[in-house]
Amino acid sequence: VKIVVFEAQGEEGLGVMLDDLRFVALRDVDSDLPENLIQILELENGLDRLRDAVGGQPPVRKLSDVVLKPFLRRPNAMWALALNFKTHIKETGLTTSLQFPHIFLRTSASYVGAGEAILAPDPAVARAFDYEGELAVVIGKTGRYISVAEALNYVAGYSCLNEGSVREYQIHNRQFGLGKNFEASGSYGPWLMTPDEFGDPAAHTVTTRVNGITRQKAPLDDMLFSVAQVVSYLSQGYQLRVGDLIAMGTPGALLPAEDDVLGRDMSQQYGPFKIPGLVHMRPSDVVEVEISGLGVLKNLVEASSAKQIA
Amino acid sequence: VKIVVFEAQGEEGLGVMLDDLRFVALRDVDSDLPENLIQILELENGLDRLRDAVGGQPPVRKLSDVVLKPFLRRPNAMWALALNFKTHIKETGLTTSLQFPHIFLRTSASYVGAGEAILAPDPAVARAFDYEGELAVVIGKTGRYISVAEALNYVAGYSCLNEGSVREYQIHNRQFGLGKNFEASGSYGPWLMTPDEFGDPAAHTVTTRVNGITRQKAPLDDMLFSVAQVVSYLSQGYQLRVGDLIAMGTPGALLPAEDDVLGRDMSQQYGPFKIPGLVHMRPSDVVEVEISGLGVLKNLVEASSAKQIA
């Protein structure tokens, strides 16, 4: 099942997709389920109850009539992985442990949904604003000390994610800190797809396009640490909670084509690394993260509010 | 004003301290204010309305009859600073930028309140579990692009904080990740003290005691980056939100006294640094973080659940 959170007439609601264009809104059918995905996941057989509630011959809505929002409302933790693809490790020249995943955190406010704009920093603040196409994992069951073999049983589903990063701030100090947490700098969506539909995460591919040009494309089995390994690792110290999100890391840039002037012009790169085929996100760009078999997360980039120190 | 969140008969409530031992519970007086500190801070003149609501001749409760809980319920961001005291930079031998604060994030689940136990990891998982006595800052007003001169106007108040850290996990990779986010590994409290009572943060002192022995003691003007500088820095990329917390970093260890056997025995240290006067937190320890003019945050350390891989 594919679950969305949408906004229509100023109100947020939960929906279940019928295909990639149409959905049934929970509020349009007779149900006492909460309009909150984390709360539904916390219910016994919550997803089955949701599926039942929207079954039958309910009214059908079109995605094009609503705005898709982030489907998680401030979970306890939004984990993210640095340097989890060999191609990205190589292009940055950075080091990472081969024994332990490279973990940091983002806040809810750093992500928007599939129907909202990503905000590019005012150029007076930062210019090296980079996309990172990734697989997002959402936890569906509380757990501690989870083995790698059991780990995927704790996953509620998957989504596409753009882990927008502000490179100048990321290298201000050794911890990424603010550079990974600019306001509305990333996105996830369009929906949560449950594991019964998605299957083995390692069997899929992540692709990132900017204005229609493919900038990243990699099989998800190229990850240094698998979804199961990361879930197991986190549970050694932390009790995973329903609604926690894990951004699994991004692959390296594709080499630009012969006639790709922008992708070949590294003089327009303002970050710490000059990488052929890397372009920064700028206002009016359209950035898509596609995960095969799941869907496409598409965001317009808009300018953040202008810097004006009070 | 000093504000607490307490639990009594299984229910959480908000209270205003009369002195360091007695308080008035919002639920005991006639008021339509929410029992939620962030919601009160978001109201126009919320703190004044809270003060008015509990004024007069209301029923008085004793702190000793209740359990003090974390007074923030999952704010958007719990920021923290690494290496913000010269003495701590020196003792670790680590490097940090002198130009930009060293920022990372913790989750709500990593903190307990003043009446709850901090959880020490199972020794089979980790042993270098360290206290870090710190000043906590709570944001009271939404803001972006805040100047250093204006920054303290965005502060709702201050508290004591123990930024419990699991050193073995902190050095698993370059980002601190899980090492700063073990379940219930830190604490803040006992209350939020508003700036009108606390005054200039730089005029205070932070002290950490373990089982009555003073392990850290430093003036808060010894910080590399001041509260105002950090608030201003974060607001360059992030819209500060009501209820956001900032842990301002910890000072170095005090040299152990001649007869301090435990403090002098560095063979019992399991972390990356061997530091005279550093002791790890272990079950049954009592750890206190005191900030002068504010109060004492006192927590018992208990053993976390034992490691058992499912």
Side-chain angles (χ1 to χ4, degrees):
Chain A
V1 64
K2 296 188 297 220
I3 304 166
V4 289
V5 168
F6 65 92
E7 188 180 283
Q9 287 87 46
E11 219 184 328
E12 272 192 27
L14 205 74
V16 175
M17 300 301 296
L18 294 174
D19 48 41
D20 283 4
L21 300 172
R22 300 173 310 142
F23 70 100
V24 178
L26 186 56
R27 73 162 74 133
D28 293 341
V29 298
D30 188 32
S31 161
D32 55 0
L33 288 171
E35 297 263 353
N36 179 312
L37 179 55
I38 294 180
Q39 287 175 19
I40 286 182
L41 292 171
E42 283 171 339
L43 292 177
E44 177 115 36
N45 303 316
L47 285 185
D48 291 336
R49 293 175 58 185
L50 178 62
R51 233 180 299 236
D52 291 347
V54 301
Q57 302 284 322
V60 171
R61 296 185 185 223
K62 284 188 266 181
L63 269 197
S64 53
D65 293 337
V66 302
V67 174
L68 287 188
K69 308 284 288 184
F71 50 76
L72 303 168
R73 285 180 206 160
R74 202 180 281 186
N76 180 67
M78 303 187 103
W79 304 100
L81 273 87
L83 300 166
N84 199 33
F85 280 80
K86 291 150 214 162
T87 48
H88 186 49
I89 297 168
K90 192 172 171 200
E91 72 179 3
T92 60
L94 294 172
T95 57
T96 194
S97 165
L98 300 180
Q99 200 182 349
F100 304 108
H102 203 150
I103 303 283
F104 61 96
L105 286 162
R106 290 179 68 116
T107 80
S108 292
S110 75
Y111 288 118
V112 299
E116 301 174 300
I118 287 177
L119 299 184
D122 183 337
V125 174
R127 306 177 77 157
F129 180 45
D130 289 352
Y131 48 82
E132 294 193 348
E134 308 196 3
L135 175 72
V137 179
V138 176
I139 298 299
K141 200 164 78 170
T142 293
R144 185 81 190 268
Y145 301 130
I146 302 166
S147 69
V148 173
E150 289 294 324
L152 293 188
N153 296 329
Y154 289 79
V155 173
Y158 301 92
S159 193
C160 311
L161 187 141
N162 182 353
E163 215 232 286
S165 305
V166 179
R167 302 300 184 201
E168 294 99 328
Y169 278 70
Q170 202 180 321
I171 60 166
H172 272 177
N173 219 320
R174 285 187 292 109
Q175 304 299 305
F176 296 159
L178 187 55
K180 288 287 193 177
N181 278 286
F182 263 53
E183 189 76 24
S185 55
S187 60
Y188 62 87
W191 39 65
L192 180 79
M193 177 181 271
T194 50
D196 56 318
E197 289 193 21
F198 189 63
D200 179 7
H204 296 260
T205 299
V206 62
T207 305
T208 308
R209 289 181 291 272
V210 181
N211 302 327
I213 301 174
T214 303
R215 295 295 180 192
Q216 299 182 305
K217 183 174 184 137
L220 293 180
D221 69 357
D222 209 25
M223 293 193 290
L224 212 53
F225 295 93
S226 69
V227 173
Q229 286 173 314
V230 172
V231 168
S232 174
Y233 174 78
L234 291 171
S235 77
Q236 292 175 26
Y238 168 73
Q239 178 177 289
L240 286 160
R241 283 161 170 77
V242 175
D244 284 351
L245 179 137
I246 308 171
M248 287 299 300
T250 203
L254 295 180
L255 283 175
E258 285 283 332
D259 61 349
D260 175 8
V261 177
L262 187 63
R264 299 177 80 87
D265 179 9
M266 293 195 280
S267 74
Q268 297 300 306
Q269 294 189 13
Y270 298 96
F273 325 114
K274 310 295 175 200
I275 298 171
L278 171 70
V279 298
H280 301 317
M281 291 189 283
R282 285 181 284 197
S284 86
D285 283 347
V286 172
V287 184
E288 293 168 280
V289 176
E290 175 165 9
I291 290 177
S292 57
L294 195 153
V296 180
L297 166 67
K298 183 175 176 175
N299 294 93
L300 178 66
V301 181
E302 287 183 357
S304 179
S305 61
K307 178 177 180 176
Q308 45 180 86
I309 292 291
Chain B
V1 65
K2 295 187 298 219
I3 303 165
V4 291
V5 168
F6 66 93
E7 186 180 285
Q9 288 88 46
E11 218 184 329
E12 274 192 27
L14 204 74
V16 175
M17 300 301 296
L18 294 173
D19 48 40
D20 282 4
L21 301 172
R22 299 174 309 142
F23 69 100
V24 178
L26 187 57
R27 72 161 75 131
D28 294 342
V29 298
D30 188 32
S31 160
D32 55 0
L33 289 171
E35 296 263 352
N36 180 310
L37 179 56
I38 294 179
Q39 287 175 19
I40 286 182
L41 291 171
E42 282 170 340
L43 292 176
E44 177 115 36
N45 304 316
L47 286 184
D48 292 335
R49 291 174 59 186
L50 178 62
R51 232 181 300 236
D52 291 346
V54 302
Q57 301 283 323
V60 172
R61 296 187 184 221
K62 284 189 266 181
L63 268 198
S64 53
D65 293 337
V66 301
V67 174
L68 287 188
K69 308 285 287 185
F71 51 75
L72 302 168
R73 285 180 206 159
R74 203 179 281 185
N76 180 68
M78 304 186 102
W79 305 99
L81 273 87
L83 301 165
N84 200 32
F85 279 80
K86 291 152 212 161
T87 48
H88 186 50
I89 297 168
K90 193 173 172 199
E91 72 179 3
T92 60
L94 294 173
T95 56
T96 195
S97 165
L98 300 181
Q99 199 181 351
F100 304 108
H102 203 150
I103 303 284
F104 60 97
L105 286 162
R106 292 180 67 117
T107 80
S108 291
S110 76
Y111 288 118
V112 298
E116 300 174 300
I118 285 176
L119 299 183
D122 182 339
V125 175
R127 305 177 78 158
F129 180 46
D130 290 350
Y131 48 81
E132 293 193 348
E134 307 195 4
L135 175 72
V137 179
V138 176
I139 298 298
K141 200 164 78 173
T142 293
R144 186 80 191 268
Y145 301 129
I146 302 166
S147 69
V148 173
E150 288 295 322
L152 294 188
N153 295 330
Y154 290 79
V155 173
Y158 301 91
S159 191
C160 312
L161 187 143
N162 182 353
E163 216 233 284
S165 305
V166 179
R167 302 299 184 200
E168 294 98 328
Y169 278 69
Q170 202 180 321
I171 60 167
H172 272 177
N173 220 319
R174 285 186 293 109
Q175 303 301 303
F176 295 159
L178 188 54
K180 288 287 194 179
N181 279 286
F182 263 53
E183 190 74 25
S185 55
S187 59
Y188 62 87
W191 41 63
L192 180 80
M193 177 180 271
T194 49
D196 55 318
E197 289 193 21
F198 189 63
D200 180 7
H204 296 260
T205 299
V206 61
T207 305
T208 308
R209 290 181 291 271
V210 181
N211 302 326
I213 301 175
T214 302
R215 296 296 180 190
Q216 297 182 306
K217 184 173 183 137
L220 293 180
D221 69 357
D222 210 24
M223 293 193 291
L224 212 52
F225 295 94
S226 68
V227 173
Q229 286 173 313
V230 173
V231 168
S232 173
Y233 174 78
L234 291 171
S235 78
Q236 292 175 23
Y238 169 72
Q239 178 178 291
L240 286 159
R241 283 160 171 78
V242 175
D244 284 351
L245 179 135
I246 308 169
M248 288 297 303
T250 202
L254 294 180
L255 282 176
E258 285 283 333
D259 61 348
D260 175 7
V261 177
L262 186 63
R264 300 178 80 86
D265 179 8
M266 291 195 280
S267 75
Q268 296 300 306
Q269 293 189 14
Y270 298 95
F273 323 113
K274 311 296 176 198
I275 297 171
L278 171 70
V279 299
H280 300 318
M281 292 190 282
R282 284 181 286 197
S284 86
D285 283 347
V286 172
V287 183
E288 293 167 281
V289 176
E290 176 166 6
I291 290 178
S292 58
L294 195 154
V296 180
L297 165 67
K298 183 175 177 175
N299 294 93
L300 178 66
V301 181
E302 286 183 358
S304 179
S305 61
K307 179 177 179 176
Q308 44 179 85
I309 292 291

